[in-house]
């Protein structure tokens, strides 16, 4: 919906904040092209850049309580605001706008710090309570909407929707967090509350950062629904009704909503259910590559034809990757070691030319048991041991540029042989082993998996499959997929909505039996049964392929010069993040076809591009605390 930002003098009034606030807001103008608003005093400054989806004319921010004591800026959507609004109005609250987020203001008046609990939607919100001299930063349970913060010199708290905005502040220390760098290069994304910049942290998903009495404290929430032992059986009708209700809620707003349609069952179901609500003409977008084995446009097209959508297709080439890779790195305020960021970014760009919001299928695999790793996990130690035995023979086969070569799969499985379930799952997903991390100068693997261990411990008592799903939801999905969806969408002024990550859908998914999630090697068992009458059989029961870019072949062909430029000894030495010699050995292994190192190399390239866009770029000198902004008005 928008980008938010702000600053707070923790110890009372101080140097003016409007210059720094203006810089933060300008840095997020892409998130909110439809308007801007601010609240500024000697103590606090709040700002919003708005993408107008609900109440376009009257829903400007900050939103204010009846007595003016509360000021709120928020990024996101609330899907049960109509019922909340009726209840609050019945208890005497007066609404000044039609904005869904105004519900948060009046809930805080009644419930204090419990104001966001139990709501349906996605949000990153900042609320200033003038009477209590309290600032509250809050995020939705899945972390769909971002919110980061830092403590600047002089005890000034700064926050924004994007890390890239905070990096525009001259007062912000810019040193990188070595553990976060190691996480990104090992797992594809930075995990938990860390960011890649040591001085910046994320507000925890489902939690709050509270600043009052001159101190900062984290208030953690319950987070998403997890499987509930002994609960009532779940039918296919239960799943369909919950998902249909969520899609209906996510289509709401005063502007048209489209669908990002892949060839998989999750986005196919969203398209089918959305088309039931909207009728023919629903706008859909699909990305393909043209490379054999990577293109799912035909599957997506079969769904689009079935429901008469206004369908658009994009074919991404290596040349387009070269053309846009720097723009993608600049849009993503943290590097992401996944080349699918480029086609996702391009799809959002195409959608943003026609609509302001799209539905996307993130979360379906984690909630309903869709990853092949879950099926592999049912094989346990026996599967890992067999993979270890088969690996030498597989490595003697010619190295393939296929989507996921056999040697790669066996290598990942074999890496977990003899390990407990958590470690085995982590080894399957990691891009670098401990020896490679050490050679690059990165922390050892045990230092990188603290978030994994913490989340694993929190799910004790659930069955192993449910624990793996919960772990992926909090790591791969929340930190990776949702971050990608937000940044790619907001770069083009389009909001990505994720109906699977909904309170009602999660409540149903949390009650599925093991066999309704994974039955032998069949993943997403019940969800596929639900999809069968709604989608072509090739989609509803097709094998899980995953959205993968043909980067292995690209790096041995058109992208090799770019790779060598970004990972040259001179470039890496200037950055001082990883050892250039070790990076060179990865390049040699890949080009000689000794091993597929494309995922690790892409991570290093993403880091180098991000460094050039965000760290090598000097901060704005007008962003220092105490600088004046000519274009912002101070509040009385």
């Amino acid at each position: 919906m928008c980008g938010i930002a702000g600053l707070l003098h923790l110890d009372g009034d101080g140097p003016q904040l409007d210059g720094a606030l203006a810089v933060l807001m300008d840095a997020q103008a892409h998130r909110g092209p439809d308007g801007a608003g601010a609240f500024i005093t000697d103590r606090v400054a709040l700002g919003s850049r708005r993408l107008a989806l609900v109440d376009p004319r009257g829903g400007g921010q900050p939103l204010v309580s009846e007595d003016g004591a509360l000021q709120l800026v928020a990024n996101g959507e609330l899907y049960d605001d109509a019922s909340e609004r009726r209840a609050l109005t019945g208890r005497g609250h007066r609404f000044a706008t039609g904005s869904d987020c105004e519900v948060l203001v009046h809930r805080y008046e009644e419930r204090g710090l419990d104001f966001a609990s139990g709501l349906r939607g996605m949000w990153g919100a900042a609320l200033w309570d003038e009477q209590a001299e309290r600032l509250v930063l809050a995020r939705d349970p899945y972390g769909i909407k971002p919110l980061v913060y830092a403590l600047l010199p002089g005890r000034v708290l700064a926050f924004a929707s994007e890390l890239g905005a905070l990096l525009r502040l001259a007062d912000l220390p810019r040193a990188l967090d070595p553990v976060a760098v190691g996480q990104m290069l090992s797992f594809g994304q930075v995990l938990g509350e860390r960011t890649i910049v040591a001085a910046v942290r994320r507000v925890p998903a489902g939690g709050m950062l509270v600043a009052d009495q001159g101190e900062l404290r984290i208030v953690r929430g319950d987070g998403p629904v997890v499987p509930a032992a002994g609960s009532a059986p779940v039918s296919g009708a239960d799943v369909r009704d919950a998902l249909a209700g969520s899609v209906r809620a996510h289509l709401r707003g005063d502007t048209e909503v489209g669908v990002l349609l892949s060839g998989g069952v999750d986005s196919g179901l969203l398209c089918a259910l959305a088309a039931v609500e909207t009728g023919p003409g629903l706008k859909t977008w699909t990305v393909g590559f043209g490379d054999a084995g990577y293109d799912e446009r035909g599957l997506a097209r079969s769904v689009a034809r079935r429901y008469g959508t206004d369908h658009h297709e994009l074919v991404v080439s290596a040349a387009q990757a070269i053309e846009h890779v720097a723009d993608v790195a600049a849009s993503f305020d943290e590097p992401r070691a996944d080349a699918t960021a480029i086609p996702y970014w391009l799809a959002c760009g195409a959608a943003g030319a026609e609509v302001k919001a799209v539905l996307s299928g993130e979360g379906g695999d984690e909630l309903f048991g869709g990853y092949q790793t879950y099926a592999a996990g049912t094989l346990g130690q026996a599967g890992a041991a067999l993979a270890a035995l088969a690996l030498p023979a597989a490595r003697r086969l010619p190295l393939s540029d296929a989507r996921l070569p056999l040697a790669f799969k066996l290598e990942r499985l074999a890496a977990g042989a003899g390990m407990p379930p958590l470690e085995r799952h982590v080894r399957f997903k990691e891009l670098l082993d401990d020896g490679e991390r050490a050679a690059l100068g990165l922390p050892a693997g045990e230092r990188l998996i603290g978030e994994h261990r913490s989340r694993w411990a929190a799910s004790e008592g659930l069955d192993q499959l449910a624990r793996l799903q919960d772990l992926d939801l909090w790591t791969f999905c929340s930190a990776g997929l949702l971050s990608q969806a937000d940044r790619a969408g907001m770069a083009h002024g389009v909001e990505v909505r994720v109906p699977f990550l909904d309170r009602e859908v999660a409540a149903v998914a949390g009650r599925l039996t093991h066999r309704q999630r994974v039955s032998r090697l069949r993943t997403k068992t019940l969800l596929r049964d639900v999809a069968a009458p709604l989608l072509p059989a090739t989609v509803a029961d097709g094998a899980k392929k995953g959205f993968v870019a043909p980067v292995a072949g690209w790096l041995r062909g058109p992208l090799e010069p770019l790779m060598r430029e970004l990972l040259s000894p001179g470039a890496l030495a200037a950055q001082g993040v990883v050892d250039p010699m070790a990076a060179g050995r990865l390049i040699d292994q890949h080009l000689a076809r000794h091993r597929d190192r494309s995922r690790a190399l892409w991570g290093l390239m993403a880091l180098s591009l991000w460094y050039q866009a965000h760290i090598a770029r000097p901060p704005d000198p007008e962003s220092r605390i105490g600088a004046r902004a000519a274009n912002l008005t101070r509040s009385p």
Side-chain angles (χ1 to χ4, degrees):
M1 180 177 174
C2 56
I4 64 173
L7 305 105
L8 171 70
H9 286 291
L10 290 176
D11 298 327
D13 298 349
Q16 60 191 24
L17 301 170
D18 52 340
L21 180 65
V23 168
L24 292 174
M25 292 172 65
D26 289 346
Q28 299 180 116
H30 56 279
R31 296 186 70 93
D34 296 332
F39 171 80
I40 306 171
T41 70
D42 291 333
R43 178 78 185 275
V44 66
L46 305 178
S48 167
R49 293 288 316 207
R50 188 177 184 222
L51 178 67
L53 296 170
V54 178
D55 190 13
R57 293 190 176 185
Q61 297 184 17
L63 298 164
V64 187
S65 62
E66 297 98 318
D67 60 3
L70 303 178
Q71 301 275 341
L72 178 129
V73 290
N75 165 33
E77 302 284 349
L78 300 180
Y79 301 118
D80 51 3
D81 67 295
S83 59
E84 289 286 334
R85 181 181 289 260
R86 286 193 297 271
L88 289 162
T89 301
R91 294 194 293 271
H93 293 271
R94 299 190 308 277
F95 282 77
T97 75
S99 169
D100 52 313
C101 289
E102 191 178 348
V103 163
L104 297 173
V105 175
H106 302 294
R107 270 182 140 235
Y108 181 89
E109 289 179 298
E110 289 193 351
R111 306 173 63 158
L113 293 180
D114 196 39
F115 72 107
S117 66
L119 287 174
R120 187 180 192 184
M122 54 182 181
W123 61 87
L127 185 145
W128 170 245
D129 181 340
E130 180 70 34
Q131 294 177 347
E133 297 187 326
R134 172 193 290 162
L135 178 68
V136 182
L137 307 181
R139 287 180 79 197
D140 64 80
Y142 294 100
I144 301 169
K145 284 301 171 187
L147 194 54
V148 293
Y149 67 94
L151 187 60
L152 307 180
R155 286 179 47 81
V156 175
L157 175 68
F159 69 88
S161 293
E162 296 186 2
L163 169 62
L166 293 182
L167 284 169
R168 301 284 185 91
L169 297 179
D171 297 289
L172 179 75
R174 299 162 71 81
L176 303 190
D177 181 338
V179 171
V181 172
Q183 288 178 340
M184 191 283 295
L185 291 174
S186 295
F187 308 119
Q189 56 269 323
V190 181
L191 305 176
E193 294 169 35
R194 294 180 186 273
T195 75
I196 201 162
V197 177
V200 182
R201 287 291 182 264
R202 280 182 250 274
V203 176
M208 294 182 291
L209 176 75
V210 180
D212 57 9
Q213 307 299 315
E215 300 297 331
L216 299 177
R217 56 191 170 99
I218 294 290
V219 179
R220 302 188 187 282
D222 295 332
V225 175
V226 295
S231 54
V234 177
S235 68
D238 294 330
V239 172
R240 174 168 174 164
D241 289 347
L243 193 53
S246 179
V247 167
R248 190 177 306 116
H250 283 72
L251 288 171
R252 70 178 294 274
D254 298 317
T255 62
E256 186 177 7
V257 180
V259 177
L260 297 183
L261 180 62
S262 72
V265 64
D266 297 337
S267 65
L269 266 174
L270 296 184
C271 177
L273 296 172
V276 170
E277 297 294 325
T278 65
L282 174 72
K283 288 184 171 64
T284 54
W285 288 266
T286 295
V287 179
F289 295 101
D291 298 57
Y294 287 87
D295 198 347
E296 296 186 29
R297 284 178 296 155
L299 294 172
R301 196 180 302 136
S302 68
V303 177
R305 286 174 176 167
R306 182 163 183 165
Y307 290 98
T309 74
D310 180 5
H311 191 55
H312 308 75
E313 294 184 352
L314 296 83
V315 180
V316 180
S317 65
Q320 287 175 301
I322 294 170
E323 178 184 356
H324 295 290
V325 67
D327 294 330
V328 174
S331 299
F332 282 52
D333 55 357
E334 284 188 291
R336 175 155 166 73
D338 191 335
T340 61
I342 294 174
Y344 201 106
W345 188 89
L346 289 170
C348 287
E354 298 194 42
V355 299
K356 287 189 175 183
V358 291
L359 307 185
S360 189
E362 283 81 2
D365 286 313
E366 289 80 3
L367 286 177
F368 287 91
Y371 292 125
Q372 292 174 328
T373 50
Y374 301 151
T378 63
L379 301 176
Q381 289 289 6
L386 287 172
L389 290 173
L391 183 58
R395 280 183 171 168
R396 288 194 292 270
L397 296 173
L399 189 61
S400 168
D401 288 340
R403 182 188 293 262
L404 287 175
L406 175 62
F408 174 81
K409 295 179 182 178
L410 291 175
E411 187 177 70
R412 297 295 87 208
L413 281 171
M419 295 182 176
L422 169 63
E423 288 76 4
R424 192 164 61 240
H425 191 68
V426 170
R427 290 293 178 270
F428 190 91
K429 288 179 172 288
E430 70 181 2
L431 308 178
L432 299 166
D433 61 30
D434 268 341
E436 292 159 345
R437 278 188 283 262
L440 286 166
L442 302 173
E446 189 59 35
R447 287 188 63 195
L448 308 181
I449 63 172
E451 281 79 8
H452 294 86
R453 292 200 182 283
S454 175
R455 191 65 199 172
W456 187 257
S459 66
E460 187 173 1
L462 303 179
D463 69 72
Q464 180 178 309
L465 174 57
R467 298 182 79 181
L468 294 176
Q469 291 174 258
D470 179 72
L471 183 69
D472 283 345
L473 188 61
W474 278 88
T475 53
F476 180 63
C477 183
S478 183
L481 297 179
L482 295 180
S483 176
Q484 174 172 280
D486 176 83
R487 304 311 189 279
M490 289 289 95
H492 301 284
V494 61
E495 181 176 83
V496 178
R497 298 177 176 178
V498 284
F500 278 98
L501 295 178
D502 172 76
R503 182 185 65 197
E504 304 301 325
V505 175
V508 172
R511 305 198 328 260
L512 297 178
T513 67
H514 187 294
R515 292 180 65 84
Q516 287 177 318
R517 289 171 276 154
V518 177
S519 179
R520 295 187 180 143
L521 297 181
R522 187 179 188 234
T523 58
K524 265 189 302 208
T525 313
L526 185 58
L527 192 69
R528 291 183 186 278
D529 292 342
V530 170
L534 299 174
L535 300 176
T538 51
V539 176
D541 215 27
K544 171 70 177 177
K545 294 183 178 180
F547 187 37
V548 180
V551 69
W554 285 356
L555 292 179
R556 295 193 190 97
L559 266 67
E560 182 185 342
L562 177 64
M563 173 178 65
R564 290 193 178 278
E565 175 188 343
L566 293 173
L567 304 185
S568 69
L572 293 182
Q575 294 166 16
V577 179
V578 298
D579 184 275
M581 297 298 291
R585 287 192 290 273
L586 293 176
I587 293 174
D588 292 341
Q589 288 176 0
H590 188 74
L591 294 180
R593 290 184 173 270
H594 292 160
R595 292 179 68 188
D596 179 355
R597 306 319 309 258
S598 59
R599 293 161 183 82
L601 288 169
W602 192 266
L604 290 168
M605 292 169 64
L607 178 61
S608 183
L609 283 162
W610 175 86
Y611 192 97
Q612 292 176 12
H614 294 283
I615 300 299
R617 173 181 179 174
D620 189 335
E622 298 300 317
S623 68
R624 293 193 180 278
I625 304 301
R628 179 181 295 276
N631 60 336
L632 291 181
T633 303
R634 293 170 61 81
S635 303

